[in-house]
Amino acid sequence: MPSKSSARLAALTVAAACSAASTLALTSPAHADAVRIHDVQGSTRISPYAGKQVTDVAGIVTGVRTYGSSRGFWIQDPSPDADPATSEGVFVFTKSTPKGVAVGDAVTISGTVAEYVPGGTSSGNQSLTEITRPTFTVVSSGNPLPAATAVDARSVPDAYTAAGDAAANGSVNALPLRPSTYALDYYESLEGMNVRVADTRVVGATDPYTELWVTVKPYENRNRRGGTVYGSYGSQNTGRLQIQSLGSTAAFPKANVGDTLAGTTSGPLDYNQFGGYTLVASELGTLKKGGVERESTRKQRRDELAVATYNVENLDPSDDTFAAHASAIVNNLKSPDIVSLEEIQDNNGATNDGVVAADETVRKLTDAIAAAGGPRYDWRAIDPADDADGGQPGGNIRQVFLFNPERVSFTDRAGGDATTATGVTKVRGRAALTVSPGRIDPASPAWENSRKPLAGEFVFRGRTVFLITNHFASKGGDQALTSQYQPPARSSETQRHLQATAVNTFVKDILATQKNADVIALGDINDFEFSGTTKLLEDGGALWPAVRSLPESERYSYVYQGNAQTLDQILISPSIRRDCDFTYDSVHINAEFHDQISDHDPQVLRFRP
């Protein structure tokens, strides 16, 4: 998976380039006089004046944005109409830093109404109604701002959105807004207006871009640590709202999940590429810590095999996180017998020069683990072909097995490389890999520009255990939950479905050779425990996602846009589920915290083979 920062920076570059141009196809410009803001906004997502010139649109300036690619200011009509579907606020896009205008100014605006789509029209995002190429007159200054509309559990509907219009390829753009019925319609009816939230719980930690997520519905799918769980495609969690700052980012709170923004947070309601509806705060509540601590799992017992999966997020020798990762493995994961690592980069990271070996990266981590009091892990991996496995260009990310040779032995069978497939054979009546470590069908189109599964054969207390470590294709390209298309398209899952089928077929080959074989498929599956991808991994009873042994409220390893969700999984064969007295733990050390060393939480399975 590409690093989150590189993907985000690339998207920001696109947004900057397309700020004025990424608009919906509109009617030819015409002229309209003396319209009000609610006329401009209209009662659907698309302005009835889109593409037209408007003159002397009056309002009070409620916020001025002087940074980023979308500079301008918001205005709001202090005299609203009686229609709850029509917003009384609108963004005035000035392109460069707006001059001669301040909060509290009463202004009249003339310009062209446009529907700007953050991320471009191909993203599927909803559009933001703007007045572009503006000229304006300041009528007076120092005016009181229109009262901020309270957004709370009573005002936000429980239903998320209507189904899209079949005649418009699933788009909700042309549907009349029903703000008392659907949450997305409610937020859209407030687009550009001054809104406020009060005493809101943080459900998405502060990120490097000074953003966080709160919920105005504190009991909506809550887990014990204060997060909001995404447990199905119909459980979008309507109370989530992104918070940004309209002022200095230096004062932005460094919040963790479970904290509270106490008091009032208020400002214009925006819509952006990376979070949908966003309160751009001119007033921020006070951070009240919730006291959530990083978890530690228990140590495996002598007769238990402990297997973990951990995405270390593009780890390369130049990183300063080795000691922190080592501490996490030793102190929080209690030194599992086997650790499947995802996103180990080559020896010079993102430098794109043909280097593919990662021995320096792994050695630096294993040295740090030993220095932290952990075991001296041995390891196995296969170097990918250069730039053939996706991820950050030049980084050559791959999966790596770490194992404690004092507890586990690895069965080496020579011949594994980037392009050679491992298979299943029978040795003395039991299943065995033809190549160990080896890759599963690396030439298959399922793995094009994606990480290939790494299979290995381990022995614990005389019992063979087959491990398949995975890093499936990312969710890049999927439409957002706030997309104009409802339900949003998940185009990326097409490749993951192929990948899941390939892994499932391989596991079935093992089980057909030895019915009671202990098989574990684990890693960053990049999909939910209720997803079609997981169902394909399970097909025929070959595997079962052990995360389902946890209460529904505890099934998460990742937090995205305030939704705690499962991306990292450990799936087990029937013999482990039935006979091996297993326990499972999602160890929350990263995803809920602003000072994370990875954006994924590791998972640990313990069982008695």
Side-chain angles (χ1 to χ4, degrees):
M1 184 196 303
S3 73
K4 308 303 178 297
S5 57
S6 63
R8 181 67 177 269
L9 288 172
L12 285 171
T13 302
V14 171
C18 298
S19 178
S22 291
T23 56
L24 297 176
L26 303 169
T27 58
S28 300
H31 191 74
D33 292 321
V35 298
R36 304 275 291 276
I37 293 174
H38 48 252
D39 298 321
V40 171
Q41 286 283 8
S43 58
T44 69
R45 285 172 167 78
I46 303 300
S47 169
Y49 289 89
K52 298 179 181 180
Q53 298 290 326
V54 290
T55 303
D56 294 337
V57 179
I60 305 294
V61 177
T62 59
V64 180
R65 183 156 57 199
T66 60
Y67 59 88
S69 61
S70 186
R71 303 185 187 193
F73 55 93
W74 289 268
I75 61 171
Q76 184 168 332
D77 193 329
S79 301
D81 66 3
D83 187 351
T86 57
S87 171
E88 301 294 340
V90 71
F91 185 67
V92 180
F93 175 65
T94 58
K95 192 174 183 179
S96 58
T97 300
K99 297 179 180 179
V101 65
V103 172
D105 286 350
V107 297
T108 57
I109 308 289
S110 298
T112 302
V113 178
E115 291 289 342
Y116 166 59
V117 183
T121 53
S122 63
S123 69
N125 287 329
Q126 294 187 48
S127 60
L128 178 70
T129 302
E130 299 179 337
I131 298 177
T132 65
R133 302 181 183 90
T135 60
F136 60 88
T137 300
V138 176
V139 178
S140 63
S141 298
N143 297 283
L145 302 188
T149 299
V151 176
D152 56 30
R154 290 172 296 179
S155 64
V156 180
D158 291 332
Y160 190 68
T161 188
D165 184 354
N169 297 317
S171 173
V172 296
N173 276 344
L175 299 181
L177 295 177
R178 300 171 63 187
S180 63
T181 303
Y182 298 116
L184 287 192
D185 287 10
Y186 172 76
Y187 291 125
E188 177 65 20
S189 75
L190 300 175
E191 179 191 88
M193 290 178 61
N194 207 22
V195 301
R196 62 180 171 85
V197 298
D199 298 326
T200 48
R201 193 178 73 248
V202 175
V203 292
T206 303
D207 66 21
Y209 310 98
T210 56
E211 302 161 343
L212 59 82
W213 286 77
V214 299
T215 182
V216 300
K217 294 186 173 182
Y219 297 104
E220 186 177 48
N221 296 319
R222 179 175 182 164
N223 64 36
R224 63 183 174 82
R225 293 170 63 83
T228 299
V229 176
Y230 182 59
S232 72
Y233 291 125
S235 175
Q236 302 96 330
N237 293 312
T238 61
R240 295 175 302 113
L241 195 62
Q242 188 180 57
I243 306 292
Q244 294 179 342
S245 177
L246 192 53
S248 169
T249 57
F252 198 79
K254 294 180 179 179
N256 298 327
V257 169
D259 293 349
T260 298
L261 278 185
T264 299
T265 297
S266 65
L269 188 66
D270 196 24
Y271 183 94
N272 68 58
Q273 177 182 357
F274 300 106
Y277 294 105
T278 299
L279 195 165
V280 186
S282 54
E283 176 187 18
L284 272 166
T286 302
L287 184 65
K288 181 180 178 182
K289 301 301 289 184
V292 171
E293 300 288 343
R294 287 177 164 84
E295 290 185 331
S296 294
T297 194
R298 70 167 174 82
K299 181 74 175 176
Q300 66 269 27
R301 300 184 179 95
R302 181 179 178 83
D303 61 347
E304 287 181 314
L305 178 66
V307 178
T309 177
Y310 187 18
N311 183 319
V312 290
E313 196 176 6
N314 287 326
L315 190 67
D316 77 75
S318 69
D319 289 339
D320 60 1
T321 57
F322 282 91
H325 282 305
S327 177
I329 291 169
V330 173
N331 299 311
N332 300 94
L333 304 187
K334 304 302 183 185
S335 302
D337 300 307
I338 306 171
V339 183
S340 163
L341 298 171
E342 298 87 49
E343 294 200 23
I344 290 288
Q345 289 198 341
D346 64 32
N347 289 336
N348 59 13
T351 302
N352 199 354
D353 60 356
V355 170
V356 295
D359 54 308
E360 293 177 25
T361 309
V362 179
R363 187 179 303 114
K364 193 169 181 178
L365 180 59
T366 55
D367 285 350
I369 291 170
R376 170 58 67 177
Y377 281 108
D378 201 348
W379 62 282
R380 296 291 187 274
I382 290 178
D383 293 335
D386 189 33
D387 282 339
D389 281 18
Q392 192 174 15
N396 291 308
I397 56 175
R398 84 288 311 273
Q399 299 91 268
V400 173
F401 288 125
L402 300 185
F403 63 95
N404 180 358
E406 298 297 318
R407 297 261 300 166
V408 178
S409 63
F410 189 86
T411 303
D412 287 291
R413 292 194 177 90
D417 58 27
T419 58
T420 299
T422 188
V424 181
T425 188
K426 183 176 285 189
V427 176
R428 292 188 293 276
R430 294 184 174 273
L433 300 180
T434 59
V435 172
S436 177
R439 292 179 138 194
I440 295 176
D441 199 10
S444 168
W447 312 110
E448 184 177 356
N449 199 36
S450 184
R451 284 70 54 180
K452 285 71 175 170
L454 180 69
E457 194 174 321
F458 295 84
V459 176
F460 175 71
R461 296 170 68 89
R463 176 90 176 189
T464 295
V465 180
F466 299 93
L467 262 68
I468 304 163
T469 175
N470 305 275
H471 187 179
F472 282 6
S474 79
K475 288 184 171 294
D478 285 3
Q479 292 172 352
L481 291 182
T482 55
S483 169
Q484 64 167 289
Y485 300 104
Q486 294 294 330
R490 300 184 297 271
S491 59
S492 70
E493 71 182 8
T494 299
Q495 185 173 15
R496 287 194 301 280
H497 287 179
L498 295 174
Q499 294 174 340
T501 298
V503 171
N504 175 269
T505 298
F506 189 81
V507 173
K508 286 176 177 174
D509 286 346
I510 296 175
L511 298 179
T513 306
Q514 181 187 335
K515 183 178 181 180
N516 67 341
D518 293 338
V519 186
I520 299 172
L522 74 173
D524 182 356
I525 303 302
N526 260 319
D527 224 333
F528 318 118
E529 79 280 11
F530 53 81
S531 68
T533 300
T534 300
K535 288 181 173 63
L536 289 168
L537 282 167
E538 294 181 78
D539 183 69
L543 293 167
W544 185 75
V547 70
R548 289 195 194 142
S549 66
L550 300 178
E552 290 183 6
S553 63
E554 300 304 315
R555 298 175 189 175
Y556 65 95
S557 65
Y558 192 81
V559 179
Y560 181 67
Q561 295 186 350
N563 270 334
Q565 55 199 248
T566 296
L567 294 186
D568 308 84
Q569 298 198 46
I570 302 178
L571 299 99
I572 56 178
S573 63
S575 62
I576 298 176
R577 183 182 180 189
R578 182 184 61 240
D579 302 328
C580 293
D581 191 22
F582 75 89
T583 60
Y584 189 85
D585 196 358
S586 183
V587 188
H588 304 305
I589 62 173
N590 286 318
E592 298 167 320
F593 299 92
H594 74 272
D595 55 346
Q596 56 190 221
I597 53 173
S598 167
D599 47 358
H600 293 252
D601 286 333
Q603 316 291 292
V604 177
L605 175 80
R606 293 176 291 263
F607 67 103
R608 295 184 176 91

